[in-house]
Amino acid sequence: MSTLPISFPRFEQSYARLPETLFDFCRPVAVSDPRCVVWNSALAEALGLEAWADAPSVWSGNELPGGITPLAQAYAGHQFGQFTMLGDGRAHLLGERVLEDGRKMDVQLKGSGRTVFSRGGDGRAALEPMLREYLISEAMHALGIPTTRSLAVVTTGERVQRERPLPGAILTRVAASHLRVGTFQYAAGCDEPGVLASLIGYAIERHVPEAADAENPALALLEDVVEKQAHLLARWMHVGFVHGVMNTDNMALSGETIDYGPCAFLDVYDPETVFSSIDRGGRYAYGNQPSIALWNLSRFAETLLTELDPDPEKAVERAEAVLYGFEGRFKQHWLNGMRAKLGLFTAEEPDETLVQDLLGFLYREERDYTAFFAGLDPENANTGVDPQWHSAWRARLADQPQSFAEVRERMRRANPRVIPRNHLVEAALNAAGEGDMAPFHALLAVLQDPCSLENIPEKYTRGPSADFGPYVTYCGT
Ligand code: AMP
Ligand code: MG
């Protein structure tokens, strides 16, 4: 491992100025033969890192640009409801790229070797799960959903031992920050004076600078995090996204989707859908996600209690008042998005019934969620929709001044035709595992413009064939 004479432009390490209990300085463990298999030139350009395109040794951690002292972050978390001490067991934060507007973006290597937080793990990642995170995070971004981004995937030239030996890889993840609910759980539990307050100050500076001047900054932070999660969860529900492992360490304060493990998208609409092999109780089922988000937010609020009010009872009251607001906020975001999916420009009281009736129909008829909305048309009742519902919807559309052309345009933007469908993702990753990256790049290209007006080959828009069977995702990433 070596340090390069040149540095990343406008790069900082503000996290390293926090109390040391929150992280451990450590370097990535060098790999034998790093090669870049995916590079995100658009993101690189946005970050001003385009000059580093041909630098697999940097994106594997073999070489560090000048001035960088990487670190692994400490955090805790409730995993399936059980509290555990965690931390970056296979990730290294290189630092933060400072954008023109002053915002900082974390640049982190994932799969870059063991750290003090690795427990029994090898600190490594396999190629397929890293390509999966790249593909789905970039698809989410193109769908307009807040998410961490993926800059590069580098193969290591080494094998990682899972159920069988697999090619190893390292992903470069870019995020508004890697602060998690679990980071606050760690800080609140560490019993060192000032740590929690520093972390709150840091989160405010990065994510809600205006909260610094609020009468109660910690409360303003809580409000912001609750609002961002309400928005995020609504967006997931709109596109049929199932995160799969909504542990508190996988909930980001920034409101970005983070940690693409066993996640997957609905084909057929069913709120009880679970993809993850380890989620036997259905804790993180599609329809449960908003309630789980609130559960996680409650854990977050608990970490802030001492900072919300010196009087413990008042602190609880304050936290509860914000948490009680989650459901209403979520519902507002969700309904507004569903209205857009139906081409509605205005909000009317009975819209919720219209939406719920439709979802009930999709569920009973086992319809493909994405294909149904993409094919829905106000002037064509032959798209297999309940005729009674269709005329109620048309009557509702007739109440607004907008033309059907305007309605169609609104619907087009709100109803993606392509999502990273499970069978497509599987096929692309299987091919990549055998050395053929072409299906991966083809799928990635189509996912860049999910509401495209262009002709999208039908194989990308239709659901899986009957022989694909029930989809199961595995956490062993
Ligand atoms: P995740 O399920 O990816 O959210 O990871 C949960 C925790 O396990 C985090 O603390 C990770 O850093 C850690 N972890 C996951 N895989 C590995 C690995 N191969 N080696 C070391 N730590 C790991
Ligand atoms: Mg995680």
Side-chain angles (χ1 to χ4, degrees), residues 283-306:
R283 179 179 170 94
Y284 300 142
Y286 171 71
N288 255 4
Q289 297 184 117
S291 330
I292 288 292
L294 178 57
W295 192 88
N296 289 349
L297 290 166
S298 306
R299 303 292 79 76
F300 177 56
E302 282 164 8
T303 70
L304 300 180
L305 287 175
T306 53

Side-chain angles (χ1 to χ4, degrees), residues 40 43 133-134 137-138 148-152 171-174:
N40 192 335
L43 180 60
E133 171 153 350
Y134 189 108
S137 63
E138 289 304 303
T148 63
R149 304 286 307 274
S150 298
L151 180 65
L171 172 88
T172 304
R173 177 156 71 181
V174 174

